[in-house]
Amino acid sequence: MDVKIAESWKSRLTTEFEQPYFADLVSFIKAERQQYTIYPPGSLYFNAFDKCSFDDVKVVMIGQDPYHGAGQANGLCFSVNDGVPTPPSLKNIFKEIASDLNQPIPPSGNLERWAEQGVLMLNAILTVRASEAASHRGKGWERFTDAVIQLIAEEKSGVVFMLWGKYAQDKGRIVDRSKHCVLTAGHPSPLSATRFFGCRHFSQANAYLVNQGQTPIVW
């Protein structure tokens, strides 16, 4: 199956794209698009991969599924398009960065600047119906993104995994802690942010990257 994804990923994920489950997923998405508005736009389903090549991955963030409001989702977890109000979870991420690194909160919630520095901003589910959170759960995306995490965990070393909340932590169980840096905390959602604030993951991630001889992320 010819999937339009960055070549550095395509060459490594071809076996996934050839699996029956992925063909079923593609058929499901096509049918959904005929009946509903789907986010993000089709050209951005694999934006996380297009903006961050396999070779450049230094940090992996794991979200659940895209924002389901008009104009919000841009294919990167937690990120929104320029001009879109910053969602609550992202506001809390920015607050933690401000506290951790003593820097101002940015005016835009578009996180492409992180992706371009080597942060893979991966949602477990890459599509969603408008106004229906988790509406594409259990259709095959989770199996695909598990394969992505396993690929990174096995073929790379010295990657920082930021796992916020039980969902992300369960997705990251396959990561070898002796080979990578795994940082865990509560989800930055207002419902659990008290277990997120003070985690200092951003300074910890940069310290680890520097120790690995890599350039730190400008958060």
Side-chain angles (χ1 to χ4, degrees):
M1 181 173 295
D2 185 26
V3 176
K4 293 180 180 179
I5 190 172
E7 188 56 41
S8 69
W9 293 100
K10 189 171 186 176
S11 59
R12 292 173 170 89
L13 293 168
T14 297
T15 54
E16 290 302 310
F17 298 141
E18 293 174 348
Q19 295 291 323
Y21 87 86
F22 201 87
D24 291 343
L25 172 61
V26 170
S27 296
F28 167 75
I29 296 297
K30 286 180 178 177
E32 286 283 286
R33 290 179 65 175
Q34 291 177 355
Q35 299 181 64
Y36 307 99
T37 298
I38 303 301
Y39 297 133
S43 62
L44 297 180
Y45 290 174
F46 296 105
N47 196 31
F49 303 91
D50 294 337
K51 290 289 187 291
C52 181
S53 74
F54 177 82
D55 293 333
D56 290 342
V57 174
K58 298 177 182 178
V59 179
V60 177
M61 286 185 181
I62 300 175
Q64 294 191 34
D65 65 340
Y67 296 118
H68 52 80
Q72 289 183 299
N74 62 10
L76 310 178
C77 70
F78 298 108
S79 176
V80 290
N81 289 313
D82 290 322
V84 174
T86 304
S89 291
L90 184 54
K91 281 185 180 179
N92 288 336
I93 291 170
F94 285 162
K95 286 179 183 177
E96 176 60 24
I97 293 173
S99 172
D100 188 11
L101 301 176
N102 192 29
Q103 65 185 47
I105 291 175
S108 174
N110 191 331
L111 304 181
E112 287 186 1
R113 61 188 182 277
W114 293 357
E116 290 164 356
Q117 296 178 75
V119 183
L120 181 67
M121 312 198 65
L122 182 67
N123 275 316
I125 303 163
L126 300 188
T127 56
V128 69
R129 282 184 199 166
S131 305
E132 293 186 46
S135 48
H136 287 181
R137 178 185 294 163
K139 302 301 182 181
W141 282 128
E142 296 95 332
R143 180 170 168 180
F144 171 70
T145 51
D146 280 348
V148 171
I149 294 167
Q150 186 166 5
L151 172 70
I152 296 167
E154 291 181 354
E155 293 199 14
K156 297 180 75 75
S157 61
V159 174
V160 179
F161 287 81
M162 292 182 168
L163 307 179
W164 300 330
K166 186 178 184 301
Y167 187 90
Q169 289 161 23
D170 286 346
K171 290 279 286 186
R173 281 181 178 171
I174 60 173
V175 179
D176 184 347
R177 267 69 170 169
S178 67
K179 189 179 175 185
H180 301 282
C181 174
V182 178
L183 303 175
T184 62
H187 194 277
S189 159
L191 296 174
S192 54
T194 54
R195 297 190 297 278
F196 173 75
F197 289 134
C199 68
R200 300 183 63 85
H201 281 182
F202 304 94
S203 60
Q204 289 183 59
N206 278 353
Y208 179 83
L209 291 173
V210 169
N211 191 51
Q212 295 285 314
Q214 299 197 69
T215 306
I217 306 297
V218 179
W219 299 106

